[in-house]
Amino acid sequence: MGRSSKDKRDIYYRLAKEDGWRARSAFKLLQLNDDFDLFNGVSRVVDLCAAPGSWSQVLSRKLIDERSENKGKVKIVAVDLQAMAPLPGVIQIQGDITKISTAHEIISYFEGEEADLVICDGAPDVTGLHDIDEYIQGQLLLAALNITSHLLKHGGVFVAKIFRGKDVDILYSQLKVFFSTVTICKPRSSRNSSIESFVVCQNYSPPIGYVPIMCNPLLVDPNQFKSLEGVNRIVVPFMACGDLSGYDSDQTYPLTTSTGGKEYQTLSPIQEPINPPYQTACLLKKTNSLTSSDSTEQVQNKDV
Ligand code: SAM
């Protein structure tokens, strides 16, 4: 049996089939709800990046099927780039969460009210290159945060998938600007081998005077960032600077490297090191003392 087919048939995969969930991810939301009581008092929810729809199924079952008194009062809006098979009580939008037009369309279904809860299980197509996958996932999370700032009521809750990569701290800092409590959670149904986790962000409280915008702070171009005013500038910007096709500081290059049509030339250092480790060896060589094994040892000891 191939590795991927074995992986797919884990216990949650089988349980999802038995319980009629469209994906095993349903258990992740159910388990987050077990700990955070996410659906308590909720009547307007947005499911971002919802296809194939197991999270929307959970919303539909928990908020409508299990609470008959809620029938007609609950609004669930699901958004995805992909089309999704219909679900009872779920309004579907085929759209991009990075677009302001999508935010407007969602708002139109809430008839002037704001959402109590926004959830996002968004994931980009995985490239297999970890750094790139983590970066794109981070960007999608920030896009979800941006659209959420247009939709969520003060005090509301935002739940989103996050990859615990090396830049997770900056994402966490950004979320803390908008929510008083941010918790990173790993549901039992999320595979240990995956760097996926979920942020549960409670009590939406943007900085006073914050104006929702759709530009993603981590991608924003410098001119656009300059035009942001007041508290909108609190969001920590991160920019990749310099020519991305230039030298990579983590790589080693041969001394004969040429770039942009120019030959690279090795030059003497502008400031010679004051006390370089090879100085002793040079002195010993000058006095012809670098011949015996003793002096080699002496040099090594001095260098240490
Ligand atoms: N929560 C879903 C469920 O339980 O069935 C699974 C979501 S799936 C892991 C990730 C989804 O994110 C994909 O369907 C993909 O189309 C969607 N997605 C990625 N980027 C998006 C974007 N910019 N706008 C809307 N959806 C997006």
Side-chain angles (χ1 to χ4, degrees):
M1 188 183 280
R3 190 166 165 251
S4 64
S5 55
K6 187 176 160 212
D7 282 351
K8 276 188 205 155
R9 288 171 198 190
D10 73 349
I11 182 72
Y12 288 105
Y13 175 85
R14 280 188 276 132
L15 287 174
K17 293 272 168 227
E18 283 167 23
D19 297 349
W21 302 114
R22 289 181 182 179
R24 63 189 288 295
S25 333
F27 293 103
K28 300 174 192 169
L29 184 59
L30 288 166
Q31 288 166 356
L32 288 169
N33 181 49
D34 286 345
D35 278 293
F36 290 91
D37 202 10
L38 297 171
F39 307 135
N40 188 9
V42 162
S43 54
R44 285 174 302 279
V45 198
V46 184
D47 182 6
L48 300 171
C49 304
S54 78
W55 278 26
S56 289
Q57 274 183 298
V58 171
L59 295 173
S60 171
R61 286 194 202 177
K62 289 278 172 196
L63 296 176
I64 303 174
D65 300 353
E66 290 179 17
R67 296 190 201 160
S68 50
E69 74 281 7
N70 272 352
K71 275 219 164 70
K73 289 191 211 149
V74 170
K75 290 240 161 78
I76 303 167
V77 180
V79 185
D80 202 287
L81 291 170
Q82 316 286 336
M84 216 169 93
L87 277 170
V90 179
I91 300 160
Q92 292 183 25
I93 298 173
Q94 192 173 352
D96 185 344
I97 66 159
T98 65
K99 298 275 187 300
I100 186 71
S101 53
T102 308
H104 290 152
E105 197 174 345
I106 300 170
I107 292 164
S108 72
Y109 289 112
F110 288 150
E111 295 157 353
E113 307 256 31
E114 289 168 315
D116 304 302
L117 172 68
V118 178
I119 57 179
C120 176
D121 188 27
D125 288 340
V126 175
T127 65
L129 301 168
H130 291 304
D131 283 355
I132 293 181
D133 291 338
E134 272 167 43
Y135 178 76
I136 300 173
Q137 173 65 28
Q139 295 301 303
L140 196 58
L141 171 65
L142 290 167
L145 174 63
N146 275 341
I147 196 167
T148 297
S149 69
H150 292 259
L151 308 169
L152 192 60
K153 72 173 189 191
H154 283 226
V157 176
F158 172 60
V159 177
K161 194 207 295 280
I162 191 168
F163 281 178
R164 280 171 308 148
K166 58 184 184 320
D167 293 330
V168 72
D169 286 348
I170 191 166
L171 294 172
Y172 183 74
S173 315
Q174 305 244 310
L175 293 165
K176 279 291 284 178
V177 172
F178 293 90
F179 296 89
S180 61
T181 310
V182 179
T183 314
I184 303 191
C185 317
K186 179 85 173 168
R188 294 280 287 164
S189 50
S190 173
R191 292 186 176 101
N192 282 328
S193 55
S194 158
I195 56 167
E196 161 196 274
S197 281
F198 292 85
V199 276
V200 177
C201 309
Q202 293 166 295
N203 191 23
Y204 179 58
S205 37
I208 294 163
Y210 180 79
V211 182
I213 42 167
M214 283 305 274
C215 69
N216 186 332
L218 293 195
L219 278 181
V220 77
D221 83 58
N223 295 329
Q224 206 176 4
F225 182 69
K226 274 184 216 144
S227 71
L228 300 180
E229 285 178 0
V231 290
N232 272 42
R233 291 184 73 119
I234 290 176
V235 181
V236 187
F238 176 89
M239 284 182 289
C241 307
D243 179 3
L244 293 181
S245 60
Y247 290 120
D248 177 346
S249 53
D250 288 319
Q251 295 246 17
T252 347
Y253 296 93
L255 293 179
T256 52
T257 305
S258 66
T259 183
K262 282 189 207 153
E263 279 298 318
Y264 173 81
Q265 279 192 335
T266 19
L267 301 171
S268 309
I270 293 170
Q271 171 66 60
E272 296 279 346
I274 295 164
N275 194 12
Y278 52 79
Q279 212 166 36
T280 319
C282 293
L283 274 173
L284 289 171
K285 197 168 180 201
K286 268 187 197 159
T287 53
N288 251 350
S289 327
L290 200 58
T291 46
S292 71
S293 58
D294 280 358
S295 45
T296 314
E297 204 174 287
Q298 196 184 348
V299 171
Q300 281 169 350
N301 288 341
K302 283 199 174 167
D303 283 348
V304 172

